[in-house]
Amino acid sequence: MQIRVVTETGEPVDEFLVRLGGWTEERYLREAPEDRIWEFADGEVVVHSPASITHQRIVRFLTYLLTGYVEERSLGEVFNGPAALRLRPGLITEPDLFFVAAGRAAVGPLLVEGSADLVVEVASPATRTYDLQEKAAAYREGGVGEYWVVDPGRKEVTVHRLERTSYRTEALAAGRLVSSAVPGFWIEVAWLWQDPLPQAMACLREILSSGSG
């Protein structure tokens, strides 16, 4: 299924979320495209617009850092959307980036079944409220231990950490962000706002050599 969003005068809209009701999980798994972000929540599909270049660069940078660190430490697996994470029956997300510790969840041919230890979403103006509110509620319900919302527009990372049944949140514009879900992993938040982004290999070497400091 192709989705194209335009204004009343026919001009294309660059960033959007489209919600389609009346779907089943079976139909979603059968028809959701492999090259675009589609998510499913209790009968509704949420279709995302193509990612911006800034979005893609930040996701690629963080993927390099997290994947390199996790592989070096043999901690588990790192995935990128549109890889699907089934938090419960009827609730499937496709995070920009997520980490699953070894033995934490079942990795099947179509999706990862169960919770993730760390989820990272890169927000845009079109998805900011969705990421900060609806997605936070979904990840909290699904037992995701740590959830980052990277917002390049506001130059801020909102960190959600699960404490029993609720998230404790903090917003960081700079400073060192130390993960509670990936032992020893950290980033300098200011890295994310540099243009161009810093050299990923150098950043990874710094993380690996110093741990959480």
Side-chain angles (χ1 to χ4, degrees):
M1 177 183 294
Q2 297 294 321
I3 299 293
R4 183 170 181 264
V5 178
V6 298
T7 65
E8 292 182 353
T9 59
E11 299 173 348
V13 177
D14 293 331
E15 293 187 347
F16 57 82
L17 288 178
V18 174
R19 298 175 184 269
L20 307 174
W23 281 57
T24 64
E25 186 174 294
E26 291 75 18
R27 183 186 176 192
Y28 163 81
L29 292 173
R30 184 175 65 249
E31 297 186 20
E34 295 183 0
D35 60 344
R36 297 284 293 276
I37 300 295
W38 287 39
E39 299 179 305
F40 180 80
D42 299 320
E44 183 179 71
V45 168
V46 180
V47 180
H48 293 244
S49 60
S52 69
I53 295 300
T54 296
H55 180 284
Q56 293 183 64
R57 285 172 174 164
I58 292 174
V59 171
R60 184 177 64 223
F61 176 72
L62 289 173
T63 299
Y64 185 96
L65 298 183
L66 185 59
T67 301
Y69 184 87
V70 165
E71 289 184 354
E72 179 68 19
R73 300 286 191 261
S74 301
L75 297 175
E77 289 190 81
V78 175
F79 299 91
N80 289 109
L85 178 65
R86 188 173 187 253
L87 297 163
R88 62 161 169 78
L91 182 57
I92 302 173
T93 65
E94 297 184 1
D96 288 321
L97 172 65
F98 64 104
F99 161 70
V100 179
R104 167 74 163 169
V107 180
L110 292 178
L111 43 72
V112 177
E113 187 80 41
S115 189
D117 295 84
L118 171 65
V119 168
V120 180
E121 300 280 12
V122 178
S124 70
T127 67
R128 182 177 289 130
T129 299
Y130 179 62
D131 289 331
L132 287 171
Q133 298 181 13
E134 293 184 50
K135 293 290 276 294
Y139 292 135
R140 183 183 67 245
E141 178 187 353
V144 172
E146 188 173 16
Y147 171 42
W148 299 0
V149 180
V150 178
D151 191 334
R154 293 179 173 173
K155 291 184 169 55
E156 183 175 83
V157 181
T158 302
V159 183
H160 303 72
R161 291 189 172 94
L162 190 62
E163 295 183 350
R164 296 186 179 180
T165 59
S166 63
Y167 272 142
R168 176 173 56 85
T169 64
E170 63 175 329
L172 301 172
R176 181 169 292 192
L177 168 51
V178 180
S179 174
S180 58
V182 187
F185 181 74
W186 59 270
I187 64 166
E188 290 291 345
V189 173
W191 288 344
L192 303 173
W193 322 136
Q194 293 182 32
D195 185 18
L197 289 166
Q199 213 270 345
M201 184 177 293
C203 294
L204 176 59
R205 286 172 177 160
E206 185 176 349
I207 296 167
L208 288 168
S209 65
S210 63
S212 61

